[in-house]
């Protein structure tokens, strides 16, 4: 239930918990809030305006760019560039990092990585999509343009991360390392209201989210975990259930509220997994850990992986701790032939 505390008020209220905070991160989160409102507006009229469907170009992933993908990317980039807190952006929709080296960018403290519209192939069929963002303090010196090293930091260095889910309602969920808090957008007054303070994922769940169409090439341990779910009942005797929307933010958000696990292992099409480490797995893993869950690539903690490339992919297992532990055990006990 919303207690009418707005996102803006909450950011300021929580800022006081960081005596060293100079307000720049708060201002950066406010920029994201503004861009989220703008993208919300466009998504909610996508069916009425010629803004759905392919843009005709492809992004670096070789994926058909949806018009809203490009629109969301431009709006979030513009919101970041408009204030003095960000010196560069890495985006799923950009081949390389975008460096803000004009005057106000050079002395900015933060870099942001984002998937501006994850799950965008679902737009035309009116399925929820989302924006994912990840914020780091730059490691290059102030006064100079940011460089790629500022973006290739391990996920355990994030200062903030969040997602916006454009669903039956639009929600912004974020963490700055002090719990996970969810805000529901009220378009009639144009504010995000606190609706889910201190979100926590149940340690155990009965929902597993995976594209079973890729089964044939799953690692043996994943196949054994799926059979385990289909042939056993968890302690609370509720049978497992398969729920897969094909939109990470949607599956992740539902599992966080109800308990569950999202799995995207290596497949034939994606031998290293499909999900991108920097702007999908790292931010979602920071949030999941802050909510009491777990996130791994099947062997190691996602947040400890040292990135080597901007768009690198990793296998991804995220959700209720006991469920992720179980998958890791099956993978350990059933190593695949190299
Ligand atoms: P598949 C969307 O493209 C995405 O990155 C995630 O949001 C989603 O969970 C996954 O890919 C869907 O991939 O191969 O099952 O269609």
């Amino acid at each position: 239930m919303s207690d009418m505390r707005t996102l803006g008020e909450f950011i300021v209220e929580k800022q006081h918990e960081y005596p060293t905070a100079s307000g720049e991160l708060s201002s950066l989160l406010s920029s994201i809030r503004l861009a989220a409102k703008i993208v919300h507006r466009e998504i909610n009229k996508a069916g009425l305006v010629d803004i759905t469907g392919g843009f005709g170009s492809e992004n670096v992933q070789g994926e058909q760019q949806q018009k809203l993908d490009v629109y969301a990317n431009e709006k979030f980039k513009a919101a970041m560039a408009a204030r003095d807190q960000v010196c560069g952006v890495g985006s799923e929709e950009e081949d390389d990092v975008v460096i803000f080296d004009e005057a106000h960018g050079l002395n900015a403290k933060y870099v942001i990585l984002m998937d501006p519209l994850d799950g965008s192939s679902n737009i035309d069929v009116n399925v929820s999509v989302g924006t994912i963002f990840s914020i780091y303090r730059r490691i290059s010196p102030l006064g100079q343009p940011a460089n790629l090293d500022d973006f290739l930091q391990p996920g355990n260095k994030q200062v903030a991360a969040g997602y916006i889910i454009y669903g039956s309602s639009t929600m912004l969920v974020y963490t700055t390392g002090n719990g996970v808090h969810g805000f529901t957008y009220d378009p009639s007054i144009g504010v995000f209201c606190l609706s889910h303070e201190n979100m926590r994922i149940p340690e155990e769940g009965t929902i597993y989210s995976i594209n079973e169409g890729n089964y044939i090439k799953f690692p043996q341990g994943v196949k054994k975990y799926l059979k385990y779910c289909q042939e056993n009942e968890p302690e609370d005797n509720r049978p497992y259930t398969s729920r897969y929307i094909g939109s990470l933010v949607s599956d992740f958000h539902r599992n966080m509220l109800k308990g569950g696990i999202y799995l995207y292992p290596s497949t034939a099409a994606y031998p290293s997994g499909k999900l991108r480490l920097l702007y999908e797995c790292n931010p979602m893993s920071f949030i999941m850990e802050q909510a009491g869950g777990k996130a791994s690539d099947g062997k190691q903690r996602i947040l400890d992986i040292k990135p080597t490339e901007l768009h690198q992919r990793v296998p991804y297992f995220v959700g209720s701790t006991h469920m992720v532990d179980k998958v890791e055990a099956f993978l350990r006990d059933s190593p695949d032939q190299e």
Side-chain angles (χ1 to χ4, degrees):
M1 181 59 194
S2 158
D3 67 6
M4 283 312 285
R5 262 191 290 177
T6 68
L7 175 58
E9 291 162 341
F10 193 85
I11 290 171
V12 172
E13 178 189 311
K14 290 297 177 187
Q15 176 183 309
H16 297 322
E17 291 177 357
Y18 300 93
T20 58
S22 53
E24 284 150 312
L25 182 58
S26 302
S27 178
L28 172 45
L29 290 170
S30 298
S31 310
I32 292 170
R33 176 185 57 181
L34 173 61
K37 293 180 184 179
I38 294 169
V39 173
H40 160 89
R41 182 187 61 198
E42 291 308 309
I43 285 179
N44 278 275
K45 63 183 183 185
L48 304 174
V49 176
D50 176 28
I51 197 163
T52 58
F55 190 63
S57 54
E58 283 190 351
N59 63 18
V60 66
Q61 327 293 338
E63 293 166 348
Q64 177 75 26
Q65 278 191 301
Q66 301 283 337
K67 285 179 183 173
L68 270 174
D69 267 351
V70 177
Y71 180 86
N73 190 53
E74 292 310 314
K75 290 304 174 191
F76 276 95
K77 268 195 313 183
M80 296 304 114
R83 313 229 185 150
D84 297 352
Q85 288 80 33
V86 172
C87 55
V89 175
S91 168
E92 185 199 37
E93 301 304 331
E94 303 280 351
D95 297 359
D96 302 308
V97 291
V98 177
I99 303 299
F100 297 156
D101 51 11
E102 322 73 63
H104 63 261
L106 295 179
N107 289 303
K109 274 167 64 176
Y110 298 103
V111 295
I112 187 165
L113 288 137
M114 65 178 181
D115 184 353
L117 208 60
D118 179 71
S120 55
S121 56
N122 290 305
I123 291 166
D124 289 352
V125 293
N126 211 6
V127 167
S128 303
V129 292
T131 297
I132 307 171
F133 62 89
S134 169
I135 300 171
Y136 291 85
R137 209 170 273 104
R138 70 186 295 178
I139 52 178
S140 56
L142 292 175
Q144 296 176 10
N147 61 57
L148 187 56
D149 290 341
D150 291 308
F151 298 86
L152 297 182
Q153 300 182 57
N156 55 39
K157 298 289 187 192
Q158 291 174 96
V159 294
Y163 59 86
I164 298 110
I165 179 169
Y166 309 97
S168 47
S169 62
T170 290
M171 274 192 73
L172 187 151
V173 176
Y174 84 99
T175 184
T176 55
N178 200 10
V180 178
H181 311 292
F183 299 78
T184 300
Y185 186 52
D186 181 343
S188 67
I189 52 176
V191 294
F192 282 96
C193 299
L194 181 63
S195 52
H196 298 70
E197 188 168 9
N198 280 319
M199 296 172 79
R200 302 291 292 173
I201 185 170
E203 282 187 332
E204 188 59 76
T206 58
I207 297 170
Y208 61 95
S209 306
I210 188 169
N211 182 343
E212 295 193 55
N214 299 319
Y215 180 85
I216 191 74
K217 286 289 187 184
F218 283 160
Q220 282 308 313
V222 171
K223 292 181 176 180
K224 289 186 175 175
Y225 179 70
L226 294 179
K227 286 301 157 224
Y228 168 81
C229 290
Q230 291 155 3
E231 292 166 2
N232 291 280
E233 289 188 354
E235 290 68 34
D236 57 8
N237 297 322
R238 280 179 298 134
Y240 287 95
T241 187
S242 173
R243 287 282 183 276
Y244 191 70
I245 299 171
S247 174
L248 168 64
V249 173
S250 305
D251 283 312
F252 182 99
H253 185 72
R254 182 210 47 243
N255 292 350
M256 190 144 83
L257 294 174
K258 295 180 176 288
I261 184 171
Y262 172 97
L263 310 90
Y264 209 110
S266 55
T267 66
Y270 298 103
S272 304
K274 179 182 182 185
L275 277 289
R276 275 63 56 126
L277 174 61
L278 289 185
Y279 41 79
E280 291 175 328
C281 300
N282 273 338
M284 299 307 262
S285 302
F286 185 21
I287 293 165
M288 183 53 75
E289 289 195 359
Q290 282 288 313
K294 186 171 182 179
S296 100
D297 67 356
K299 296 186 183 118
Q300 63 182 316
R301 183 183 180 228
I302 287 288
L303 295 184
D304 291 339
I305 297 174
K306 174 66 180 83
T308 52
E309 290 166 33
L310 185 60
H311 299 290
Q312 79 182 76
R313 300 173 191 270
V314 290
Y316 195 39
F317 305 92
V318 61
S320 296
T321 299
H322 293 170
M323 300 178 87
V324 176
D325 286 343
K326 196 77 178 173
V327 176
E328 288 181 332
F330 276 112
L331 286 165
R332 218 172 17 250
D333 300 344
S334 321
D336 286 285
Q337 311 309 323
E338 291 301 326

